[in-house]
């Protein structure tokens, strides 16, 4: 039997490898490209290939893995045997025809078993695609003798010439031989830096990449013509594993499978199930005995461990292993967490100031003083009775912890903090760009997505069916109009659903408060407000967490039906939709408490009702700020604890446990496979695929909103965010290192659209905090009373000033309390919080002049606060340069040095050319100085003298 030269193979019974016979494929009508895909031949390969990190020869490194499902059907074996027996049969010519498995009939006996044409179609596409990869210069090796039954792996290696070619195409900056000194600080700054380095030495990670550098290699875009500029002494390590996988992925994306008008890159093949996965390999194991040192193990010890939570992150090593995009995320998260430290300290000081001055706060002392004997109007109709203001003493004292003059200062501080944070990050980003050789890097247009290509193909086929001559097709707004309309309607519906749920919680609060008020026990009536608030917030939290997951899926679906052209467009549109929906979902209940609750209540005798039966809620006598604080703290802490931490830990663990049970069941079926040691690519296949950075960023952006938007009501928000982020960094690190497949390294010089979202939240925070201080808190009414109405310049009498009077005889029929003598005496005048005329006035119960004075002061404060803080933020933005001075100097120095290198190279060439000319001239002179008696026999040597320059 003749051995097929296109594949090296072993008998199936010896190796258990699925052999694809080329002769049989050609009989079906598929002509395979000339390629060499090597099967696994070594009898004891594991020691040579380091358990899957190298090819079977132990020399070629595995840069990428393609995974596919296959079936060892009896039909396939029969087909292979028959094809080998019919070796002399006529081979079909290569021509355009439908893909195998679709309408192609085999000239085989009717007794042959029925073939799975769908599986054959996938196999033929894989064969053509892999052949095209080989033509592109990649080297492949297939392995189907794996521990995972029914799964085949294609190992890909990029040889040196391919790496050089693609590095030049991608304009990858690589270090040259030229090294230069980095500018060092001098004098006092140098001493300060040395002291800081000694102090922070215990919290620095023990990795070589994190040590301060005094010299740096000059980088230049790789060029095959200028290889002499680069240090190629060790070609194996010149391109690291991250760069190699990036290069291979670029080849995979642009290599197509074009049978029968199909144009499919790796994304299309993955989407259509031709391949089930594609990923680069991790460097090795991160735990266990006798594990060779590798970057993954180092990251696990110095970064992805809770024991090093107090240390800086080894950002350069993270970038080296995962790429710039993921490195920038963790760098941003580290800067954000560091900046939360001063914000937390100031927040704690503001909170302690409130605790220290609570006993000196005159309004809360007046509310708690039982001698004032202020009788308040009922909080609900019929079932609620009159109550003493002193019963709300605890709420009033607690409100002062967060509603005091220091919170105004803290709001201004946080607005400036947000501006400083953004500027600090821009400067840090520029330092990283310089360190990572990303200066001058411009993102090129990405390859079209699989779904976009499929839509374009469908459109072109429709036009061809109508016999229309068309140029290269593309999707227009008319093609996407149904998707745009669906997006608009879907987002409006989701926002409406969020509002409806918040409205439902409001109805719950009102009805529950009325039901609890019927309780005959005084203790039950006194705890109505706390019970209703706590249960309603918990309901809100559960709904927010559920809707967050739902909205994430809906946002992805809405983006998919739009069919964006590139992955970058897809990601930006997905981020916008997901952020919009999750922002509305998270903050709508908080906005209600901050700006709407207690605003549209009405007054005793003329209350506002919902559905003609439920009375609108009122704020507590101390204001709604305390309730806003409770709402904000529970939702923020609940989201961080449950959604960010428990979900991130629990769900991967659950998935891992399910995979373990499946593998255990398979092992019980096949004991022989169980005894094998897994290859590296098999271990990585069982890890979770990388789903992108959008969920990680979204968590932090929503948290950033909690920290900045309503910080006037909850000064401890930065502290809780800081504690969460300390855990979050190590949790995400552990997930990336141990739980996820290694993502493809992506070059990026910034965090993209997230920076604009952060800036937008920072601007919005100024406006919202201005309204919270002026309308939700009592800060402005206190100032107005202090400077306009106080008789002795103190806050004595402020509580009485904010309360209006109501004559109980003016209650509407059926709304008066059922038990008017609940307090032990008959009530004729009750008080309620509002600025209205008394019942003995001519215009009784009309809005008083005090209301308009306070409203004018509130609006004036909003305008002044907003413009002042915006100006200060812009001033901070202007005064801090985006690019640090030392970095701009180093970038300029690099350009000058690069010019010098090329000038020297040109001078060297000119000098060499002049040397050759001088030699040529001297040679000519020597020939001319020969004796004229030269015989004709010497003419040959003379001509050889003149031919010398031509040869050179």
């Amino acid at each position: 039997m003749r051995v097929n030269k296109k594949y090296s193979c072993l008998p199936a019974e010896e190796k258990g490898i699925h052999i694809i016979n080329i002769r049989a494929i050609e009989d079906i009508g598929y002509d395979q490209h000339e390629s060499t895909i090597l099967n696994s031949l070594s009898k004891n390969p594991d020691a040579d290939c380091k358990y899957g990190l190298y090819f079977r020869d132990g020399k070629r490194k595995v840069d990428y893995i393609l995974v596919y499902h296959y079936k060892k059907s009896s039909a396939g074996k029969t087909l292979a045997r028959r094809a080998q027996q019919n070796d002399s049969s006529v081979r079909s010519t290569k021509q355009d025809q439908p893909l195998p498995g679709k309408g192609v009939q085999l000239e085989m006996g009717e007794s042959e078993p029925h073939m799975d044409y769908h599986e054959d179609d996938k196999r033929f596409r894989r064969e053509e695609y892999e052949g095209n990869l080989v033509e592109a210069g990649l080297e492949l090796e297939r392995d189907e003798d794996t521990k995972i039954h029914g799964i085949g792996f294609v190992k890909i290696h990029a040889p040196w010439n391919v790496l050089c070619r693609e590095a030049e195409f991608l304009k990858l900056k690589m270090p040259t031989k030229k090294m230069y000194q980095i500018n060092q600080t001098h004098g006092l700054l140098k001493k300060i830096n040395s002291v800081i380095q000694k102090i922070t030495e215990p919290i620095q990670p023990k990795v070589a990449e994190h040590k301060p550098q005094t010299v740096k290699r000059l980088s230049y875009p790789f060029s095959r013509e200028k290889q002499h500029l680069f240090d190629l002494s060790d070609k194996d390590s010149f391109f690291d594993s991250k760069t190699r996988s990036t290069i291979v992925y670029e080849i995979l994306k642009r290599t197509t499978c074009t049978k029968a008008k199909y144009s499919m890159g790796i994304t299309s093949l993955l989407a259509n199930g031709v391949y089930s996965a594609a990923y680069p390999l991790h460097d090795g194991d991160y735990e266990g005995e006798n594990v060779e040192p590798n970057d993954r193990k180092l990251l696990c010890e110095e970064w992805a461990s809770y024991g090093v939570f107090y240390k800086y992150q080894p950002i350069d090593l993270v970038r080296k292993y995962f790429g710039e995009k993921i490195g920038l995320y963790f760098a941003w998260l580290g800067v954000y967490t560091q900046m939360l430290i001063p914000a937390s300290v100031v927040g704690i000081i503001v909170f302690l100031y409130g605790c220290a001055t609570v006993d000196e706060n005159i309004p809360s002392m007046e509310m708690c003083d039982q001698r004032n004997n202020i009788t308040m109007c009922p909080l609900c109709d019929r079932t609620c009775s009159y109550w003493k203001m002193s019963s709300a003493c605890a709420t009033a004292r607690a409100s002062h912890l967060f509603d005091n003059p220091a919170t105004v200062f803290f709001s201004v501080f946080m607005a400036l903090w947000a501006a400083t944070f953004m500027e600090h990050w821009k400067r840090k980003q520029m330092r990283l760009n310089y360190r990572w050789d990303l200066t001058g890097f411009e993102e090129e247009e990405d390859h079209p997505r699989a779904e976009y290509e499929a839509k374009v193909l469908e459109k072109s086929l429709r036009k061809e069916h109508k016999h229309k001559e068309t140029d290269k097709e593309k999707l227009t707004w008319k093609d996407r109009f149904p998707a745009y309309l669906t997006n608009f309607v879907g987002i409006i519906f989701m926002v409406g659903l969020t509002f409806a749920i918040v409205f439902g919680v409001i109805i719950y609060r009102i009805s529950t408060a009325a039901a609890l008020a019927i309780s005959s026990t005084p203790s039950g009536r006194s705890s109505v407000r706390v019970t209703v608030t706590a249960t309603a917030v918990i309901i809100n939290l559960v709904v927010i967490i559920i809707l967050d997951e739902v909205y994430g899926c809906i946002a992805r679906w809405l983006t998919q039906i739009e069919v964006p052209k590139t992955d970058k467009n897809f990601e930006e549109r997905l981020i916008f939709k997901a952020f919009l929906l999750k922002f509305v979902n998270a903050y709508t209940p908080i906005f209600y408490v901050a700006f709407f609750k207690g605003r549209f209540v009405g007054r005793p005798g003329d209350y506002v009702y919902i559905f003609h039966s439920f009375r609108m809620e009122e704020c507590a006598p101390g204001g709604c700020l305390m309730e806003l604080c409770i709402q904000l703290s529970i939702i923020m802490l609940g989201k961080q604890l449950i959604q960010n931490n428990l979900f991130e830990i629990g769900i991967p663990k659950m998935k891992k446990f399910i995979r373990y049970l499946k593998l255990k069941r398979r092992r019980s079926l096949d004991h022989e496979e169980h005894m094998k040691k897994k290859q590296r690519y098999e271990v990585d296949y069982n890890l979770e695929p990388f789903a992108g950075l959008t969920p990680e960023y979204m968590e932090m952006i929503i948290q950033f909103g909690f920290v900045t938007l309503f910080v006037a009501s909850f000064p401890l928000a930065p502290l809780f965010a800081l504690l969460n982020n300390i855990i979050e960094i190590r949790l995400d690190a552990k997930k990336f290192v141990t739980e996820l497949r290694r993502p493809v390294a992506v070059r990026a010089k910034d965090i993209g659209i997230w920076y604009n979202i952060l800036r937008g939240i920072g601007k919005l925070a100024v406006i919202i905090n201005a309204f919270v201080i002026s309308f939700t808190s009592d800060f402005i009414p206190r100032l107005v009373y202090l400077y306009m109405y106080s008789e002795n310049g103190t806050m004595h009498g402020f509580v009485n000033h904010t309360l209006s009077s109501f004559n109980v005889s003016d209650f509407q029929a059926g709304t008066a309390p059922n038990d008017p003598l609940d307090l032990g005496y008959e009530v004729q005048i009750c008080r309620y919080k509002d600025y209205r005329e008394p019942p003995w006035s001519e215009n009784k119960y009309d809005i008083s002049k005090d209301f308009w004075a306070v409203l004018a002061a509130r609006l004036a404060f909003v305008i002044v606060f907003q413009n002042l803080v915006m100006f200060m933020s812009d001033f901070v933005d202007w005064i801090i340069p985006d690019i640090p001075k030392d970095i701009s100097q180093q970038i300029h120095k690099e350009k000058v040095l690069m010019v010098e290198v090329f000038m020297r190279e040109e001078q060297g060439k000119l000098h060499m050319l002049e040397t050759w000319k001088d030699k040529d001239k001297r040679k000519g002179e020597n020939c001319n100085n020969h004796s004229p008696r030269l015989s004709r026999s010497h003419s040959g040597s003379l001509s050889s003298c003149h031919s010398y320059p031509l040869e050179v």
Side-chain angles (χ1 to χ4, degrees):
M1 183 176 64
R2 188 172 64 191
V3 178
N4 198 314
K5 295 181 180 179
K6 295 185 180 181
Y7 287 81
S8 60
C9 56
L10 284 176
E13 60 272 11
E14 291 182 17
K15 187 63 184 166
I17 298 170
H18 184 57
I19 302 170
I20 300 175
N21 187 274
I22 303 304
R23 179 77 61 184
I25 292 172
E26 290 169 347
D27 287 343
I28 296 173
Y30 179 88
D31 191 3
Q32 171 69 19
H33 293 289
E34 292 295 333
S35 58
T36 306
I37 302 179
L38 303 175
N39 281 318
S40 307
L41 300 176
S42 176
K43 294 182 180 179
N44 185 20
D46 293 340
D48 298 332
C49 67
K50 295 185 180 180
Y51 294 100
L53 288 174
Y54 287 83
F55 275 23
R56 291 293 181 183
D57 56 15
K59 298 177 181 177
R60 292 173 292 172
K61 185 177 177 62
V62 177
D63 299 318
Y64 218 87
I65 291 291
L66 300 179
V67 187
Y68 60 91
H69 291 270
Y70 70 92
K71 293 182 180 178
K72 294 182 180 179
S73 61
S74 59
K77 294 177 182 177
T78 307
L79 175 63
R81 286 197 299 270
R82 184 176 182 114
Q84 289 173 357
Q85 291 168 3
N86 298 335
D87 190 48
S88 59
S89 62
V90 179
R91 302 177 68 169
S92 60
T93 58
K94 184 175 180 180
Q95 56 185 345
D96 288 337
Q97 51 189 312
L99 280 174
K102 294 190 177 182
V104 180
Q105 293 182 351
L106 298 177
E107 295 180 0
M108 300 177 69
E110 294 181 359
S111 60
E112 292 294 345
H114 176 69
M115 289 188 64
D116 188 346
Y117 289 105
H118 185 62
E119 288 298 320
D120 288 341
D121 181 27
K122 289 183 179 180
R123 187 175 78 246
F124 298 150
R125 293 191 196 184
R126 285 197 298 268
E127 291 297 326
E128 183 194 1
Y129 182 71
E130 291 163 12
N132 291 341
L133 292 179
V134 172
E135 285 187 354
L138 297 178
E139 297 176 2
L140 312 182
E141 183 178 78
R142 181 175 296 155
D143 185 7
E144 292 182 356
D145 183 23
T146 62
K147 196 171 183 180
I148 308 174
H149 183 69
I151 300 293
F153 297 89
V154 177
K155 295 173 276 186
I156 302 176
H157 168 77
W160 172 254
N161 62 325
V162 174
L163 293 172
C164 293
R165 181 191 71 205
E166 297 298 323
E168 185 173 347
F169 291 167
L170 295 173
K171 300 176 183 177
L172 296 179
K173 274 191 172 183
M174 304 303 294
T176 63
K177 297 176 183 177
K178 175 70 175 176
M179 301 182 73
Y180 68 95
Q181 195 80 17
I182 297 176
N183 293 340
Q184 300 294 320
T185 55
H186 301 284
L188 183 61
L189 283 177
K190 184 176 182 180
K191 293 180 180 179
I192 293 174
N193 287 338
S194 63
V195 171
I196 292 174
Q197 285 179 7
K198 289 179 181 178
I199 294 173
T200 59
E201 189 175 356
I203 59 175
Q204 300 290 346
K206 297 177 182 178
V207 289
E209 286 80 0
H210 199 77
K211 294 178 181 178
Q213 297 179 344
T214 56
V215 294
K216 186 178 184 291
R217 285 189 179 273
L218 192 63
S219 296
Y220 185 73
F222 188 83
S223 172
R224 287 172 289 181
E225 294 181 355
K226 299 184 182 300
Q227 287 193 32
H228 57 277
L229 295 178
F230 304 94
D231 184 10
L232 303 179
S233 56
D234 185 5
K235 291 185 177 181
D236 291 336
S237 62
F238 182 73
F239 296 105
D240 57 14
S241 59
K242 178 253 304 180
T243 307
R244 297 174 71 98
S245 64
T246 302
I247 289 173
V248 173
Y249 184 63
E250 286 296 322
I251 299 175
L252 293 176
K253 282 199 295 185
R254 73 165 184 260
T255 303
T256 56
C257 171
T258 56
K259 274 288 176 182
K261 297 183 180 179
Y262 279 79
S263 180
M264 309 176 74
I266 187 60
T267 52
S268 300
L269 295 172
L270 288 169
N272 292 325
V274 178
Y275 290 102
S276 57
Y279 52 88
L281 291 179
H282 280 292
D283 278 358
D285 292 323
Y286 60 89
E287 60 183 358
E289 297 180 359
N290 303 322
V291 175
E292 292 186 5
N294 58 72
D295 288 342
R296 189 188 187 193
K297 185 174 185 294
L298 189 59
L299 282 172
C300 188
E301 293 171 352
E302 293 295 327
W303 182 51
S305 171
Y306 294 109
V308 293
F309 72 92
Y310 59 91
K311 288 188 177 183
Y312 286 102
Q313 299 182 86
I315 292 298
D316 291 322
L317 185 59
V318 174
R319 172 254 179 180
K320 178 185 173 186
Y321 193 78
F322 291 110
E324 286 80 6
K325 192 170 185 178
I326 293 175
L328 280 173
Y329 163 71
F330 282 103
W332 173 83
L333 184 56
V335 169
Y336 172 47
T337 305
Q338 286 177 359
M339 289 295 291
L340 282 172
I341 295 174
S344 303
V345 171
V346 176
I348 293 171
I349 292 172
V350 169
F351 178 72
L352 294 177
Y353 171 81
C355 295
T357 58
V358 68
D359 292 329
E360 302 172 5
N361 184 39
I362 295 174
S364 61
M365 290 169 62
E366 287 184 349
M367 288 182 65
C368 295
D369 191 356
Q370 297 184 3
R371 294 174 296 178
N372 290 333
N373 198 25
I374 299 176
T375 304
M376 303 296 293
C377 295
L379 295 173
C380 61
D381 295 340
R382 295 186 300 278
T383 55
C384 297
S385 185
Y386 305 105
W387 55 285
K388 293 283 189 181
M389 174 170 270
S390 58
S391 63
C393 175
T395 306
R397 289 173 64 85
S399 295
H400 178 72
L401 301 178
F402 305 100
D403 187 5
N404 55 69
T407 56
V408 180
F409 157 76
F410 191 55
S411 299
V412 177
F413 170 81
M414 287 303 294
L416 298 178
W417 172 87
T420 307
F421 162 60
M422 300 304 295
E423 291 304 308
H424 179 43
W425 166 244
K426 279 197 289 188
R427 290 169 63 84
K428 177 71 172 179
Q429 194 169 254
M430 281 306 302
R431 288 188 181 278
L432 293 177
N433 284 344
Y434 164 72
R435 232 159 61 200
W436 297 348
D437 298 322
L438 292 172
T439 51
F441 167 71
E442 294 294 336
E443 293 184 12
E444 298 179 358
E445 187 176 355
D446 203 357
H447 298 278
R449 297 176 62 249
E451 293 81 358
Y452 180 84
E453 289 184 336
K455 278 284 184 183
V456 170
L457 176 64
E458 183 183 338
K459 182 180 178 181
S460 61
L461 290 176
R462 280 202 310 267
K463 290 202 172 184
E464 282 185 9
H465 183 67
K466 295 178 181 178
H467 306 289
K468 289 185 179 180
E469 293 293 333
T470 57
D471 296 330
K472 189 175 181 180
E473 292 293 338
K474 63 179 182 180
L475 297 185
T476 62
W477 69 269
K478 292 181 180 178
D479 300 317
R480 292 193 173 104
F481 180 74
Y484 290 153
L485 184 62
T486 305
N487 270 261
F488 179 76
V489 174
I491 290 174
I492 294 297
F493 175 76
M494 292 300 125
V495 172
L497 176 64
T498 304
F499 289 161
I501 290 173
V502 172
F503 184 73
V505 174
I506 293 170
I507 299 297
Y508 162 80
R509 293 159 69 112
I510 296 171
S511 57
T512 306
L516 291 176
I518 303 175
S519 174
S520 57
T521 59
S523 60
R525 287 196 296 270
S526 63
S527 61
V528 167
R529 191 179 295 275
V530 176
T531 304
V532 170
T533 301
T535 54
V537 172
I538 292 172
I539 292 172
N540 272 327
L541 174 62
V542 173
V543 170
I544 286 171
I545 291 174
I546 294 172
L547 286 184
D548 254 4
E549 303 301 320
V550 174
Y551 286 168
C553 298
I554 290 174
R556 180 168 289 277
W557 176 74
L558 290 175
T559 309
Q560 285 172 345
I561 64 174
E562 278 188 62
V563 197
K565 184 175 181 179
T566 62
D567 286 329
K568 184 179 180 181
N569 292 341
F570 181 88
E571 186 180 22
E572 288 180 351
R573 296 185 186 194
L574 173 62
I575 288 169
F576 174 75
K577 293 181 185 66
F579 173 73
L580 178 63
L581 293 175
K582 293 190 176 187
F583 182 89
V584 171
N585 181 42
Y587 296 116
T588 299
I590 301 172
F591 269 92
Y592 163 73
V593 174
F595 302 121
F596 296 100
K597 185 178 179 181
R599 309 288 173 196
F600 312 102
V601 177
R603 61 170 179 82
D606 188 21
Y607 283 114
V608 177
Y609 291 90
I610 301 175
F611 305 134
H612 303 288
S613 56
F614 297 111
R615 211 172 89 185
M616 287 293 290
E617 296 181 279
E618 295 182 51
C619 288
C624 278
L625 198 70
M626 185 61 199
E627 191 169 339
L628 176 62
C629 175
I630 295 172
Q631 184 102 1
L632 185 67
S633 59
I634 292 180
I635 291 177
M636 179 183 175
L637 296 177
K639 270 181 67 67
Q640 289 183 351
L641 182 64
I642 298 172
Q643 193 173 24
N644 297 1
N645 293 333
L646 289 183
F647 280 14
E648 285 193 19
I649 297 173
I651 292 177
K653 293 289 184 186
M654 190 184 301
K655 289 181 178 179
K656 196 173 182 180
F657 181 69
I658 292 171
R659 288 197 302 270
Y660 170 76
L661 292 178
K662 289 182 179 178
L663 288 174
K664 191 175 180 181
R665 189 166 54 190
R666 287 177 181 173
R667 289 169 184 171
S668 62
L669 295 174
D670 196 337
H671 179 70
E672 184 179 349
E673 288 186 353
H674 172 62
M675 298 307 292
K676 300 174 188 174
K677 180 176 173 60
K678 279 188 177 181
Q679 303 289 328
R680 176 79 264 150
Y681 43 85
E682 295 177 77
V683 176
D684 287 2
Y685 177 72
N686 289 324
L687 299 176
E688 281 292 307
F690 175 62
L693 289 171
T694 301
E696 314 299 335
Y697 272 115
M698 192 67 71
E699 291 174 17
M700 294 297 105
I701 297 297
I702 296 295
Q703 185 204 81
F704 183 77
F706 282 121
V707 169
T708 55
L709 292 179
F710 297 94
V711 75
S713 62
F714 189 40
L716 295 179
L719 174 64
F720 290 114
L722 173 64
L723 297 175
N724 173 81
N725 287 5
I726 291 173
I727 301 172
E728 180 75 19
I729 289 174
R730 306 304 164 180
L731 184 64
D732 283 348
K734 197 171 186 65
K735 182 172 68 175
F736 272 82
V737 174
T738 64
E739 301 287 343
L740 298 179
R741 293 177 191 159
R742 187 175 183 177
V744 180
V746 178
R747 288 189 297 169
K749 63 178 182 179
D750 52 39
I751 60 175
I753 193 175
W754 296 110
Y755 182 81
N756 298 328
I757 292 176
L758 285 169
R759 284 189 67 87
I761 291 177
K763 300 293 184 185
L764 183 63
V766 176
I767 302 170
I768 290 178
N769 280 304
F771 277 95
V772 168
I773 292 169
S774 60
F775 284 92
T776 309
S777 75
D778 282 339
F779 178 74
I780 299 301
R782 287 172 187 165
L783 285 181
V784 171
Y785 177 79
L786 186 65
Y787 293 107
M788 291 182 63
Y789 299 102
S790 177
E791 296 177 356
N792 53 8
T794 64
M795 293 301 295
H796 288 288
F798 169 73
V799 174
N800 187 60
H801 177 75
T802 60
L803 297 176
S804 299
S805 300
F806 177 74
N807 193 330
V808 298
S809 61
D810 294 331
F811 271 121
Q812 291 179 349
T815 61
N818 295 333
D819 187 9
L821 300 176
D822 185 57
L823 294 177
Y825 56 88
E826 185 179 357
V827 177
Q828 294 181 348
I829 299 293
C830 65
R831 310 294 298 275
Y832 62 98
K833 189 171 183 179
D834 205 348
Y835 292 101
R836 291 183 180 270
E837 297 291 344
W840 51 83
S841 172
E842 292 181 3
N843 303 315
K844 64 177 184 179
Y845 307 134
D846 285 350
I847 294 175
S848 65
K849 294 179 180 179
D850 299 342
F851 171 83
W852 299 111
V854 171
L855 179 61
R858 281 173 164 165
L859 293 175
F861 176 83
V862 169
I863 295 171
V864 172
F865 182 89
Q866 176 184 333
N867 286 281
L868 178 64
V869 175
M870 287 284 192
F871 170 76
M872 295 171 70
S873 300
D874 291 340
F875 180 74
V876 169
D877 191 356
W878 173 75
I879 202 171
I880 301 176
D882 293 347
I883 304 177
K885 186 177 179 180
D886 60 324
I887 295 299
S888 61
Q889 290 174 349
Q890 297 289 3
I891 294 173
H892 178 70
K893 185 177 181 179
E894 276 197 352
K895 291 180 180 178
V896 172
L897 288 174
M898 205 70 243
V899 171
E900 287 181 3
V901 168
F902 286 120
M903 289 298 292
R904 286 176 187 171
E905 188 178 355
E906 289 297 320
Q907 289 172 1
K909 289 179 180 178
L910 290 173
H911 180 69
M912 187 179 297
L913 191 59
E914 289 174 359
T915 304
W916 285 348
K917 286 181 178 179
D918 292 341
K919 287 183 179 180
D920 176 36
K921 191 180 293 184
R922 287 196 298 269
K923 197 79 172 178
E925 290 174 357
N926 291 336
C927 293
N928 291 332
N929 290 334
H930 275 268
S931 173
R933 291 172 298 180
L934 279 170
S935 64
R936 286 187 176 271
S937 62
H938 294 94
S939 61
S941 61
L942 184 64
S943 64
S944 68
C945 291
H946 289 288
S947 67
Y948 174 76
L950 182 63
E951 292 174 1
V952 173

